[in-house]
């Protein structure tokens, strides 16, 4: 296993966290120290005092740390010098919506929160400044990413641990300026049509669940179903994750390879599939992160070249943090990285073990993904939520066989359904496809409801590092006991034979 990019990834991650949480002076000091360490190691290597084999990794790691710290310092300077940072009270701004507005609270009386980029204050054009906007649900929830708007807002200081220039609260309705980009309008049309088709073909609970499972659209997801999924450890299925990309891309690759396509053509079609799926579910930082992780996980599972997949994971972590530093403090990013590492390191081994138990290759790969991802992410979930899902592994194993079917059929239905009018042939075909996965959706809801409503489904543990440590120790003990039992049974078979 090639672990050479593990240290650089850890160093960049730690440096980014320092840059987000610490004052500018600390970030500047980290950049200076990293430059000194990198330069000293490089000079020592150049003069023959030490070999490149000894300090090469240190040079790369400290060089990346210096780059990261310098970039963070520049971003901090830009945030402090932005004109929006000096505004207090109400002001009219022109901004671009960057993410889908997320409803906070009751859908009717709650508010939405979204990321925006402010490029004009009053009549004054300013450098793009990222901000967080809170607004009325009825007036703002229908806006698409990429839409340019003008509105009266109240300006407040930005939240800690971010590079945002301010927090904005809309004091009035938005005035639309132009139209969103065509790819965002197309994605919005696909999402809306899938909602319409699902409501026609399925019951109320399943119709809100399908768009969430397929493209992460939880606008109409029933709160009771959402809580059942959360309690049973299945809530990750209703968010766009690396597994979505791995399933869709994997289905395309298997189809084209079965048709006789060359490896190069299959790779090109796989890349096109990932890009198309990114456009469909909106190219936000979290979606692009999921696309990267899904591609790496797919590489690990569809080939035996884990030595290539792990360096790719390290490079993805470094690149993602350099491009979007705020990912360093997001639990979703940590979960994606750890889950992908589990797929790279252990999923192929679990898959091979399941094949040794005479489980067919397809189900073995699906089960391996579920087991590996659930086990390695449990400590992080405990650290963030203060709970440990006792039924999470069982729930994921029970629904694993239907997840791929729902994802593939639902994606095809979403793409076909947008063709023509809402009453046309495309929508009718999509409705038939959606009806075909009704039993799978029913099975998923039954599993979530049955397991999630058990009184012992979730165990409360201390949140933070202590809770993560407890879950990690317990998980490690279970793995050791399982290995010990397997070895004992193997020895018993050999001695009896």
């Amino acid at each position: 296993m090639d672990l050479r990019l593990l240290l650089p990834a850890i160093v960049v991650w730690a440096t980014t966290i320092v840059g987000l949480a610490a004052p500018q002076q600390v970030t500047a000091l980290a950049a200076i120290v990293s430059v000194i360490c990198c330069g000293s190691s490089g000079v020592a290597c150049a003069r023959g005092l030490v070999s490149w084999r000894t300090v090469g990794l240190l040079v790369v790691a400290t060089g990346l740390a210096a780059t990261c710290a310098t970039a963070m310092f520049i971003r901090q300077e830009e945030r402090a010098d932005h004109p929006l940072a000096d505004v207090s009270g109400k002001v009219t701004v022109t901004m671009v919506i960057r993410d889908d507005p997320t409803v906070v609270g009751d859908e009717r009386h709650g508010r939405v929160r979204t990321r925006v980029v402010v490029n004009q204050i009053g009549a004054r054009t300013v450098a793009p400044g990222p901000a967080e906007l809170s607004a009325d649900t009825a007036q703002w929830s229908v806006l698409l990413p990429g839409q340019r708007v003008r509105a009266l807002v109240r300006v407040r200081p930005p939240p800690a641990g971010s590079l945002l220039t301010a927090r904005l609260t809309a004091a009035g309705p938005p005035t639309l300026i132009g139209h969103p980009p065509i790819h965002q309008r197309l994605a919005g049309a696909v999402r809306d049509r899938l909602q319409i088709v699902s409501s026609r073909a399925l019951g109320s609970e399943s119709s809100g669940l399908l768009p969430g499972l397929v493209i992460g659209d939880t606008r109409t997801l029933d709160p009771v179903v959402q809580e059942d999924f959360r309690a049973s450890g299945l809530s990750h299925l209703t968010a766009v994750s690396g597994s979505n990309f791995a399933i869709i891309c994997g289905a395309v690759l298997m189809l084209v390879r079965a048709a006789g396509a060359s490896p190069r053509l299959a790779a090109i079609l796989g890349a096109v599939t990932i890009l198309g799926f990114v456009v469909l579910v909106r190219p936000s930082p979290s979606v692009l992160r999921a696309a990267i992780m899904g591609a790496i996980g797919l590489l690990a599972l569809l080939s035996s070249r884990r030595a290539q997949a792990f360096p790719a994971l390290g490079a993805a972590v470094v690149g993602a943090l350099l491009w979007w530093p705020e990912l360093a403090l997001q639990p979703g990013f940590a979960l994606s990285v750890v889950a992908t590492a589990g797929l790279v390191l252990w999923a192929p081994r679990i898959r091979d073990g399941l094949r040794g138990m005479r489980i067919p290759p397809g189900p073995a790969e699906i089960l391996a993904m579920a087991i590996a991802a659930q086990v390695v992410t449990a400590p992080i979930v405990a650290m963030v939520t203060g709970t440990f899902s006792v039924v999470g592994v069982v729930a994921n194993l029970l629904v694993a066989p239907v997840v791929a079917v729902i994802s593939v059929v639902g994606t095809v239905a979403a793409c076909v359904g947008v063709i023509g009018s809402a009453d046309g042939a495309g929508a009718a075909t999509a409705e038939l496809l959606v009806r075909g996965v009704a039993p799978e959706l029913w099975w998923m809801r039954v599993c979530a409801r049955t397991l999630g409503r058990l009184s012992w489904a979730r165990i409360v543990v201390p949140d933070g590092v202590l809770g993560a440590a407890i879950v990690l120790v317990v998980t490690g003990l279970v793995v050791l006991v399982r290995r010990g039992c397997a070895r004992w049974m193997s020895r018993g078979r050999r001695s009896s034979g």
Side-chain angles (χ1 to χ4, degrees):
M1 182 65 64
D2 189 348
L3 302 178
R4 285 176 294 179
L5 282 178
L6 178 62
L7 178 61
I10 293 175
V11 168
V12 169
W13 203 333
T15 305
T16 305
I17 293 176
V18 170
L20 291 172
Q24 288 181 261
Q25 295 84 350
V26 176
T27 306
L29 179 61
I32 294 172
V33 172
S34 300
V35 170
I36 293 175
C37 293
C38 181
S40 301
S41 302
V43 170
C45 182
R47 294 186 175 181
L49 300 178
V50 292
S51 65
W52 175 258
R53 182 183 296 273
T54 303
V55 300
L57 189 58
L58 178 62
V59 172
V60 173
T62 53
L64 286 172
T67 302
C68 181
T70 303
M72 291 298 296
F73 181 80
I74 294 174
R75 290 173 186 249
Q76 289 174 332
E77 282 287 318
E78 292 176 346
R79 178 186 59 182
D81 294 339
H82 196 275
L84 198 61
D86 300 326
V87 176
S88 60
K90 294 183 179 180
V91 66
T92 299
V93 299
T94 302
M95 51 194 165
V96 178
I97 307 296
R98 283 304 181 199
D99 290 331
D100 284 301
T102 303
V103 178
V104 180
D106 183 73
E107 187 174 352
R108 291 185 177 180
H109 306 291
R111 298 181 68 80
V112 295
R113 185 170 57 235
T114 185
R115 290 293 183 95
V116 299
V117 174
V118 176
N119 48 37
Q120 191 171 332
I121 302 176
R124 176 189 175 191
T125 301
V126 297
E132 182 181 77
L133 174 71
S134 174
D136 181 71
T137 301
Q139 298 171 333
W140 292 80
S141 60
V142 296
L143 296 183
L144 295 176
Q147 176 67 60
R148 195 163 180 254
V149 300
R150 183 183 297 111
L152 179 66
V153 299
R154 183 179 292 106
V155 182
R156 293 181 295 159
S162 74
L163 295 174
L164 299 176
T165 55
R167 283 183 293 182
L168 309 177
T169 302
T175 300
L176 305 187
I177 303 174
H179 300 283
I182 186 171
H183 68 276
Q184 294 289 11
R185 281 181 280 167
L186 177 60
V190 172
R191 294 161 74 91
D192 292 341
R193 185 62 60 83
L194 183 60
Q195 289 278 0
I196 294 173
V197 170
S198 299
S199 64
R200 291 176 179 174
L202 303 169
S204 59
E205 292 184 346
S206 293
S207 64
L209 178 60
L210 179 65
L213 295 172
V214 176
I215 54 178
D217 185 0
T218 58
R219 289 177 293 175
T220 58
L221 180 60
D222 189 294
V224 176
V225 176
Q226 189 172 21
E227 178 56 31
D228 289 341
F229 270 64
R230 185 180 296 111
S232 60
L234 298 175
S235 59
H236 63 93
L237 296 177
T238 58
V240 177
S241 64
S243 62
N244 292 79
F245 287 89
I247 290 171
I248 300 302
C249 187
V252 173
L253 289 179
M254 286 189 288
L255 182 63
V256 298
R257 290 302 300 273
S262 65
R264 177 176 297 180
L265 178 59
I268 294 174
L269 292 176
V272 171
T273 301
I274 290 179
L275 291 175
F277 200 63
V278 166
V279 172
L280 176 61
V281 299
R282 308 288 173 76
S284 64
S286 60
V287 171
L288 294 175
R289 174 206 73 206
I292 295 172
M293 299 304 169
I296 295 170
L298 186 68
L299 174 64
L301 281 175
L302 296 184
S303 71
S304 59
R305 300 176 182 177
R306 288 183 291 155
Q308 295 179 4
F310 206 83
L313 175 61
V317 170
V318 172
L321 290 175
L322 290 175
W323 192 258
W324 303 294
E326 290 167 297
L327 291 176
L329 294 177
Q330 293 183 6
F333 180 70
L335 287 171
S336 291
V337 173
V338 173
T340 306
L343 294 179
V344 173
L345 291 173
W346 291 295
R349 299 178 183 178
I350 298 174
R351 175 196 61 194
D352 295 340
L354 293 173
R355 287 181 178 177
M357 299 168 61
R358 297 182 180 180
I359 295 179
E365 290 183 355
I366 296 174
L367 293 175
M369 290 176 63
I371 295 173
Q374 188 69 22
V375 170
V376 299
T377 57
I380 297 179
V381 173
M383 181 174 64
V384 175
T385 65
T387 60
F388 172 71
S389 177
V390 178
V391 300
V393 172
V394 176
N396 279 275
L397 289 177
L398 289 175
V399 304
V402 303
V403 169
V405 176
I406 294 173
S407 297
V408 174
V409 176
T411 302
V412 174
C415 296
V416 172
V418 77
I419 301 174
S421 66
D423 298 322
T429 303
E431 188 174 337
L432 290 175
L433 291 172
V434 170
R435 290 183 186 276
V437 295
E440 287 81 359
L441 291 167
W442 172 84
W443 171 250
M444 189 173 287
R445 288 191 291 106
V446 167
C447 293
R449 181 172 61 249
T450 303
L451 296 175
R453 296 183 184 181
L454 295 174
S455 58
W456 44 269
R458 288 186 293 185
I459 297 176
V460 178
V461 298
D463 57 1
V465 178
L466 179 59
I470 292 174
V471 173
L472 184 62
V473 170
V474 172
T475 303
L477 290 175
V478 171
V479 173
L480 290 176
V481 170
R482 190 267 176 193
R483 287 185 176 180
C485 292
R487 291 176 181 175
W488 180 77
M489 294 176 63
S490 178
R491 290 175 182 174
R493 294 192 193 99
R494 287 198 298 265
S495 61
S496 62

